[in-house]
Amino acid sequence: MKTRKSSLRFAKLAVALCLVLPFLAFGLWDALLTVTAPFAPPTGEALPAAGRQNATACLLYGCAHSLNQSLQGSTDGWTLDTATDPAQQQADFLGRVDTLAMGGVLDDFQRAAVRGTVQDTQRFALTRYTLDAGLEQYILMPREPGNAPAGPVRGYPQFHFQAIFTADGVPVYLDLQNGPETTPPTLDTVLACAGLDTIADWQPQTLAGYAGAHGEARYSAETQLYARISYEGHFTYRLVSMTPTEMQAFLQKEADSSAG
């Protein structure tokens, strides 16, 4: 009888642990993301459950609030990859480019321009940077900016392509300039390629300079992700982690800038 009561007590304890552990895990995750941050998000603005279940949202939240690391094209805080063989770097980069092309982010002309440029190692340089958080950044640009090279790429002498990907290949920053004059991708297309089109609460944002023909922008409070594509030059895509308070401040700044 005593053994039976002990077993029943153990079973109840096991059930209680199953119910409590997920909340403990979320609490520990919030602590990991915010305690080491240079500034903690305002009370009540920890990443919501939907955001915790999205690997990209978790990663960007950590970069923004724990590492204070920019993912918007700067190489500050990144490590130049000098260990990987250049041929392997080129192959890895072109693999990412092919994925973007298959997802409709790059068309056939853009894909061919990237491939032709990256293979012209005399005139163009491809560099790769890494971040401890598991991200990689590629920059493809002329070795001597301002000089118009002769040869097979003379049609795009100042071609520039910069991209940041997660370890899973999700693009979080794309900047393509001075390439073929083709129709740029829509924000829907990029989000679908990134696997973020299933986020349920994307809300369109009308921002000065980034609406209509100039681009598109959306915000998800559940994942605290802000996505934007602008068509200045050719196209630039950004995916940023922002708390609701940060988003409101950003919108106010844009409104003030537009009014001024």
Side-chain angles (χ1 to χ4, degrees), residues 46-200:
L47 191 62
R52 296 187 188 100
Q53 295 167 9
N54 185 297
T56 302
C58 282
L59 178 60
L60 269 60
Y61 184 93
C63 285
H65 298 106
S66 288
L67 301 180
N68 197 27
Q69 177 64 54
S70 170
L71 304 178
Q72 301 307 305
S74 170
T75 57
D76 292 343
W78 292 71
T79 301
L80 177 65
D81 183 1
T82 57
T84 306
D85 180 75
Q88 185 60 53
Q89 288 189 30
Q90 185 181 113
D92 293 342
F93 171 66
L94 291 177
R96 299 296 195 202
V97 168
D98 288 345
T99 299
L100 293 175
M102 287 186 287
V105 178
L106 301 178
D107 64 21
D108 290 341
F109 296 104
Q110 294 164 338
R111 182 185 193 179
V114 173
R115 282 189 162 274
T117 303
V118 78
Q119 291 165 1
D120 186 0
T121 55
Q122 289 188 336
R123 300 179 179 88
F124 289 85
L126 175 69
T127 51
R128 179 177 183 265
Y129 296 83
T130 60
L131 200 62
D132 288 340
L135 293 109
E136 57 183 3
Q137 178 172 186
Y138 293 96
I139 301 176
L140 175 62
M141 62 183 296
R143 290 186 181 276
E144 299 181 18
N147 293 337
V153 296
R154 58 180 176 271
Y156 312 113
Q158 301 304 319
F159 186 85
H160 173 95
F161 185 58
Q162 187 170 359
I164 297 176
F165 301 95
T166 70
D168 296 326
V170 176
V172 299
Y173 180 84
L174 299 171
D175 183 35
L176 190 150
Q177 305 295 330
N178 305 319
E181 290 295 328
T182 58
T183 303
T186 64
L187 185 55
D188 277 335
T189 298
V190 184
L191 291 176
C193 181
L196 301 173
D197 55 324
T198 57
I199 293 176

